Amino acid sequence: MKRNIFISFFLAFAATFYMSAQDLEKILENHFNAIGQENLLKIETIEATGKAFSMGMETKLTMLNKRPNKIKVTIDFQGNQIIQAYDGETAWMINPMAGLPGAIELTGAEAVAFSESSDMDGQLWKYQEKGHQLELVGTEKMDDDEAYVLKLTKNTGNTDHYYLNKDSYLIMRVKSTSVMNGSEVNTETNLSDYRKVKGYMMPFATSQVINGQPVNTIIFEEVKVNEGIDDAVFSKPAGN
């Protein structure tokens, strides 16, 4: 009797797991179709310009992204430039507002986070090849919308929860948990105002909340693709 109960429980569990895996793959397929992943794969460079809003202040922002795994974000603030970049190997930063002496190399969790942001295809694309694990957690109400919730456990041990609109399959929100300097950091990124760029659906508006406190909002005004960006643009300046 006990053996039969165990077998029934195992078969029920296996069936549920199989259905969940099927559902997850279908959700991912619909998501990649919705954003135009095939078109994104044809994009080699992105140059996005716009504005960043933080603590009641408005600044000009430029983001450069190039395959493979290169990114540079420049903020013009009160006559100074604050720069964060990753050249495919090294993450670095220039921040005169913080009294830093020229360009400094970033290490640890901060460097990992910025290097991940250089992945133009996103962490969900071919997540298994990146050493991540993905599971369908369920659904959740977000204002007037329903969202699928996917939990991504990255090869670093950090986790991201992706909220995909059940109708459009576009990412509405990402909740990330990481550890920096021994403390847990919870980041919420909201994405909206999706627009088609060369067949790829790109969010033109993002807002970020860290540990419950609003940090910034970024609004892109112009996006150029495949116009060529020299690799040297992403490299840490010599002598620093």
Side-chain angles (χ1 to χ4, degrees):
M1 180 66 179
K2 289 183 179 179
R3 181 173 179 272
N4 291 337
I5 292 175
F6 174 78
I7 292 174
S8 297
F9 173 79
F10 176 79
L11 291 175
F13 174 80
T16 301
F17 178 81
Y18 178 69
M19 289 298 293
S20 178
Q22 275 192 318
D23 291 343
L24 175 60
E25 292 307 312
K26 186 61 179 177
I27 291 169
L28 284 179
E29 179 184 345
N30 289 338
H31 166 64
F32 293 132
N33 286 336
I35 66 171
Q37 187 74 33
E38 288 187 1
N39 295 312
L40 175 58
L41 294 173
K42 300 173 186 176
I43 295 177
E44 293 295 325
T45 64
I46 296 176
E47 179 179 352
T49 55
K51 298 175 181 177
F53 301 86
S54 181
M55 297 181 293
M57 294 179 288
E58 177 183 321
T59 58
K60 179 184 175 183
L61 178 141
T62 302
M63 183 201 72
L64 305 176
N65 203 180
K66 182 178 182 179
R67 295 183 187 275
N69 302 322
K70 293 179 176 62
I71 190 169
K72 183 178 184 180
V73 177
T74 303
I75 296 175
D76 293 307
F77 182 69
Q78 296 182 346
N80 293 298
Q81 284 194 330
I82 300 171
I83 300 172
Q84 274 193 304
Y86 180 71
D87 64 3
E89 295 181 357
T90 302
W92 57 275
M93 176 174 66
I94 293 176
N95 189 355
M97 305 300 293
L100 298 175
I104 63 168
E105 184 174 336
L106 299 176
T107 58
E110 195 172 11
V112 170
F114 207 65
S115 66
E116 287 178 351
S117 69
S118 70
D119 184 353
M120 197 181 292
D121 297 321
Q123 295 298 302
L124 294 180
W125 179 250
K126 295 186 176 181
Y127 68 91
Q128 292 168 315
E129 293 182 13
K130 297 169 184 175
H132 306 329
Q133 296 179 340
L134 187 66
E135 60 181 295
L136 172 60
V137 176
T139 61
E140 189 171 314
K141 188 80 172 176
M142 289 183 61
D143 298 324
D144 296 328
D145 298 309
E146 286 280 340
Y148 292 110
V149 184
L150 309 183
K151 180 183 179 182
L152 182 74
T153 302
K154 294 183 282 191
N155 55 22
T156 58
N158 295 332
T159 60
D160 291 342
H161 284 78
Y162 287 80
Y163 294 75
L164 277 61
N165 186 290
K166 286 188 71 173
D167 294 323
S168 68
Y169 289 92
L170 299 176
I171 297 173
M172 304 165 64
R173 177 176 296 163
V174 182
K175 289 184 177 179
S176 304
T177 301
S178 59
V179 177
M180 288 190 180
N181 300 321
S183 299
E184 184 174 276
V185 177
N186 296 300
T187 303
E188 177 181 299
T189 304
N190 297 291
L191 302 94
S192 59
D193 191 17
Y194 278 86
R195 304 182 195 178
K196 191 167 287 189
V197 179
K198 294 294 184 182
Y200 161 61
M201 293 295 287
M202 177 176 175
F204 272 57
T206 62
S207 62
Q208 199 170 60
V209 177
I210 298 179
N211 290 339
Q213 298 298 316
V215 175
N216 61 53
T217 297
I218 295 174
I219 306 292
F220 289 129
E221 298 172 328
E222 183 180 17
V223 176
K224 301 176 183 178
V225 301
N226 291 339
E227 294 202 357
I229 303 174
D230 195 293
D231 285 350
V233 169
F234 303 93
S235 300
K236 182 173 174 285
N240 289 280

